[in-house]
């Protein structure tokens, strides 16, 4: 991505923030800075405070931009599904209680479904690891956030700033999970991303082809409380253990 392809407002803002970035030792070219730092962070930090107003400590963390994985690195974030349970790359039951995302807090992870028909997940580390990290900014089938406890999917959403997943993309990942044996009726999903989104049984959103079902009652009418320390997000008793 080169500066000449940007609109004048974005280009001007990017130029100013790039000057701050370079002044504190940033190493990327302006094209790489916009692609791997500026545009990616606009979703989570639209005022540009990730540059710390000249705080060199923050710029140090950005010096090489958001991580872009190669094939070997990506493999360490790969998930597999066996008998409806999700496992991490080491074969252990996948559990997000020790992970976190900037949007949902502790107990969640970001994920993508690649065109290799595999899921990848990790914590969202602002300025360092984003949805775009898994495939080095390349296309994916869907991106979002999920909560998984002891291998059991609890929550899944289409929240991603980089890829802007819509109903079709969300339907793809739900279809993938259903095909792999995950019981969607035992998980909650939010298709319409907002501060207090409604959560329906994932099976209902799957049957509505990725959108909020008009004929179903939401299980939750607001997001579970955002945890500020590692732990398990609230799980409604109506959903069982």
């Amino acid at each position: 991505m080169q500066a000449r392809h940007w609109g004048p407002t974005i280009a001007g803002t990017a130029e100013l923030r790039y000057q701050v970035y370079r002044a504190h030792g940033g190493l990327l070219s302006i094209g790489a800075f916009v692609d791997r730092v500026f545009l990616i962070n606009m979703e989570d930090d639209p005022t540009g405070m990730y540059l710390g107003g000249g705080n060199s400590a923050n710029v140090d963390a950005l010096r090489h931009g958001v991580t872009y994985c190669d094939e070997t690195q990506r493999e360490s974030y790969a998930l597999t599904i066996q008998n409806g349970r999700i496992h991490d790359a080491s074969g252990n039951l996948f559990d997000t209680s020790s992970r976190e995302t900037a949007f949902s807090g502790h107990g969640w992870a970001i994920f993508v479904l690649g065109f290799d028909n595999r899921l990848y997940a990790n914590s969202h580390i602002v300025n360092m690891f984003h949805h775009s990290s898994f495939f080095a900014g390349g296309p994916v089938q869907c991106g979002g956030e999920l909560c998984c406890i002891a291998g059991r999917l609890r929550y899944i959403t289409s929240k991603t700033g980089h890829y802007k997943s819509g109903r079709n993309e969300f339907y793809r990942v739900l279809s993938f999970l259903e095909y792999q044996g995950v019981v969607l009726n035992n998980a909650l999903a939010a298709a319409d991303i907002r501060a207090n989104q409604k959560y329906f049984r994932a099976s209902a959103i799957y049957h509505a082809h990725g959108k909020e079902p008009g004929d179903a009652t939401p299980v939750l009418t607001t997001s579970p409380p955002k945890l500020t320390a590692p732990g398990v997000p609230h799980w409604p008793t109506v959903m069982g253990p």
Side-chain angles (χ1 to χ4, degrees), residues 70 88 161:
D70 59 26
D88 64 20

Side-chain angles (χ1 to χ4, degrees), residues 103 155 194-199 220-226 234:
F103 184 78
Y155 294 102
R194 50 187 181 271
N196 289 305
Q197 59 258 41
K198 296 177 182 178
Y199 284 84
L220 292 177
T221 56
T222 186
S223 304
K226 188 174 181 177
H234 166 72

Side-chain angles (χ1 to χ4, degrees), residues 157-158 170 189-198 200 205 210-212:
T157 78
S158 58
F170 199 38
D192 185 11
I193 300 304
R194 50 187 181 271
N196 289 305
Q197 59 258 41
K198 296 177 182 178
F200 297 83
I205 291 183
K211 66 177 182 178
E212 288 190 355

Side-chain angles (χ1 to χ4, degrees), residues 7-170:
T9 300
I10 291 179
T13 304
E15 288 275 4
L16 291 173
R17 293 185 186 159
Y18 182 68
Q19 291 172 16
V20 176
Y21 169 79
R22 288 288 292 178
H24 290 88
L27 303 177
L28 299 175
S29 67
I30 187 168
F33 169 79
V34 170
D35 190 29
R36 297 180 62 175
V37 176
F38 178 74
L39 292 177
I40 289 172
N41 280 282
M42 285 293 285
E43 170 70 16
D44 298 309
D45 193 7
T47 63
M49 288 306 294
Y50 57 85
L51 288 178
N55 184 326
S56 60
N58 285 359
V59 178
D60 284 344
L62 293 169
R63 188 161 290 174
H64 296 282
V66 171
T67 298
Y68 273 12
C69 295
D70 59 26
E71 186 174 352
T72 300
Q73 293 169 322
R74 182 167 60 249
E75 193 65 29
S76 65
Y77 305 112
L79 303 180
T80 57
I81 301 173
Q82 302 172 25
N83 300 318
R85 304 284 287 274
I86 301 174
H87 296 72
D88 64 20
S90 298
N92 302 313
L93 291 173
F94 184 57
D95 195 293
T96 58
S97 59
S98 61
R99 293 172 169 81
E100 66 177 303
T101 74
F103 184 78
S104 299
H106 288 269
W108 292 73
I110 58 173
F111 78 86
V112 298
L113 175 64
F115 280 100
D116 57 357
N117 285 321
R118 300 179 73 190
L119 277 175
Y120 301 86
N122 190 29
S123 285
H124 175 204
I125 307 171
V126 175
N127 305 328
M128 297 180 68
F129 202 101
H130 291 237
H131 285 93
S132 59
S133 294
F134 298 104
F135 280 88
V140 299
Q141 294 194 62
C142 182
E145 298 192 354
L146 57 77
C147 168
C148 188
I149 304 300
R152 297 186 185 278
L153 179 67
R154 286 197 169 182
Y155 294 102
I156 185 167
T157 78
S158 58
K159 170 66 177 73
T160 167
H162 185 84
Y163 291 110
K164 307 294 184 187
S165 294
R167 59 174 294 190
N168 291 332
E169 290 76 20
F170 199 38

